[in-house]
């Protein structure tokens, strides 16, 4: 299968463009995790170490953002540093924010949804992140459902995550993923992982134990013309997992504060992530870094297996 040529509005370093044209394995990485998901300087250190891990595995990293209005796939280290330093001073860009950011010539950090959009338009099939957005608790009143779920329903990218945090309503999140036809594949697990924890008591659709088995499902889905993503849930390594009760207490507290302060919309997720991190102390940041690195390694292996499956 010939790799699709990148959309002409996408900026990409020449080396990455050539690698994609040659059919090399590439892993996309999001940038909201850098600007809004972690504090400086750990955000920049993590973004760079994740890129290095992907290279060590034999794949090519491509961190995604909007830079000066240009949808960019494959940021330089200087651009990653810039987004990390500006932190919440850059726009958090999901699908609906892309036009504003592009037309305004602005810098924007891409969420899971918009990173999928840019990756697909660049011809990148695999994307590693930490946790996805989902259905918020109380969504029956607030209607707060992340655009990440809509995107997983329509854009052809495989997303590797460590599950979703219990700031969300996880059973409702799984229901929406089912409705949108998104396979939720547990990597070497039968349960949806809970980001900081390895288990949630909720079953995934299917357990798969190898990158090759995951790549085979990507092929089956897309070769048959089924639009949309696949979600690969990769539990944080046991040695770095956190005790569930400590996190649950922090989440309850953060949700109460969010209600009291009337925070909503696109600020909800960053508010909850930051409060939970503060309330659990530095331990949660250490866990967060380890799970992102773990996802990057698996995503590289999936990208390699997916490309090999095209050569048969
Ligand atoms: N969940 C996390 N860490 C994150 C995010 C979610 O555990 O960094 C970020 C991702 O960029 C995700 C976005 O795509 O938040 C979801 O935001 P919203 O709920 O506003 O769609
Ligand atoms: Mn939302």
């Amino acid at each position: 299968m010939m790799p699709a040529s990148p959309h002409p509005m996408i900026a990409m370093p020449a080396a990455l463009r050539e690698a994609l044209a040659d059919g090399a394995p590439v892993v996309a990485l999001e940038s909201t995790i850098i600007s809004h998901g972690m504090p400086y300087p750990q955000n920049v250190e993590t973004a760079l170490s994740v890129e290095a891990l992907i290279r060590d595995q034999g794949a090519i990293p491509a961190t995604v953002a909007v830079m000066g209005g240009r949808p960019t796939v494959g940021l330089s280290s200087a651009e990653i540093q810039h987004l990390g330093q500006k932190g919440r001073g850059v726009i958090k860009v999901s699908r609906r924010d892309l036009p504003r950011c592009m037309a305004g010539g602005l810098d924007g950090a891409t969420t899971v949804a918009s990173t999928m959009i840019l990756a697909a338009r660049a011809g990148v099939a695999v994307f590693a992140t930490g946790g996805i957005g989902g259905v918020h608790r109380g969504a029956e009143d607030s209607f707060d459902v992340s655009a990440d779920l809509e995107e997983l329903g329509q854009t052809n990218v495989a997303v590797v995550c460590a599950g979703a945090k219990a700031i969300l309503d996880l059973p409702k999140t799984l229901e929406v993923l089912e409705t949108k036809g998104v396979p939720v594949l547990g990597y070497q697990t039968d349960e949806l992982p809970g980001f900081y924890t390895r288990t949630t008591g909720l079953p995934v659709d299917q357990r798969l134990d190898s990158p090759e088995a995951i790549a085979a499902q990507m092929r089956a889905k897309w070769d048959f013309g089924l639009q949309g993503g696949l979600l690969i849930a990769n539990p944080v390594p046991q040695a770095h997992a956190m005790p569930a009760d400590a996190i649950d207490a922090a989440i309850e507290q953060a949700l109460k504060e969010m209600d009291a302060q009337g925070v909503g919309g696109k600020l909800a997720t960053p508010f909850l992530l930051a409060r939970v991190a503060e309330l659990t102390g530095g331990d949660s940041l250490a866990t967060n870094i380890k799970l992102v690195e773990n996802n990057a390694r698996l995503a590289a292996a999936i990208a390699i297996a997916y490309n090999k499956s095209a050569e048969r």
Side-chain angles (χ1 to χ4, degrees), residues 81-101:
Q81 177 77 29
H82 169 75
L83 292 181
Q85 256 168 351
K86 279 184 91 179
R88 293 200 201 191
V90 293
I91 303 174
K92 172 184 162 189
V93 176
S94 196
R95 172 180 274 267
R96 68 112 190 245
D97 309 290
L98 278 171
R100 162 165 77 117
C101 199

Side-chain angles (χ1 to χ4, degrees), residues 197-286:
T197 57
R198 291 176 57 83
T199 59
T200 55
L202 298 165
V204 291
D205 305 339
Q206 193 187 4
R207 170 191 179 131
L208 292 177
D209 290 336
S210 71
E212 289 73 22
I214 293 165
Q217 289 216 9
M218 294 161 63
R219 287 271 166 230
K221 178 162 186 169
W222 297 332
D223 284 356
F224 196 51
L226 291 171
Q227 296 297 312
L230 301 90
L231 190 65
I232 295 101
N234 185 31
V236 60
Q238 186 69 62
H240 305 293
M242 290 184 73
D245 47 353
I247 289 145
D248 289 346
I251 288 168
E252 290 299 337
Q253 168 88 23
L255 284 165
K256 265 189 216 134
E257 292 177 15
M258 187 171 87
D259 264 357
Q261 296 177 33
V263 176
K266 70 189 284 187
L267 297 174
T269 297
F271 177 89
L272 290 169
L273 296 180
R275 271 313 274 153
V276 168
E278 277 167 17
L279 291 164
T280 53
D283 290 0
S284 67
L285 182 58

Side-chain angles (χ1 to χ4, degrees), residues 42-133:
Q42 286 93 341
N43 55 359
V44 173
E45 287 162 16
T46 305
L48 297 177
S49 90
V50 159
E51 289 208 336
L53 279 170
I54 290 169
R55 281 200 191 88
D56 290 348
Q57 300 279 304
I60 300 168
T63 301
V64 171
V66 181
M67 301 303 304
R70 292 210 66 188
T72 304
V73 175
L75 297 191
S76 66
S77 302
E79 287 170 325
I80 288 173
Q81 177 77 29
H82 169 75
L83 292 181
Q85 256 168 351
K86 279 184 91 179
R88 293 200 201 191
V90 293
I91 303 174
K92 172 184 162 189
V93 176
S94 196
R95 172 180 274 267
R96 68 112 190 245
D97 309 290
L98 278 171
R100 162 165 77 117
C101 199
M102 291 167 65
L106 306 172
D107 292 341
T110 50
T111 63
V112 168
S114 54
T115 302
M116 288 180 76
I117 294 170
L118 270 60
R121 279 166 178 65
V124 178
V126 182
F127 162 23
T129 183
I132 60 159

Side-chain angles (χ1 to χ4, degrees), residues 92 134 136 143-147 264-269:
K92 172 184 162 189
H136 279 259
F143 274 51
D144 191 347
V145 179
S146 175
K266 70 189 284 187
L267 297 174
T269 297

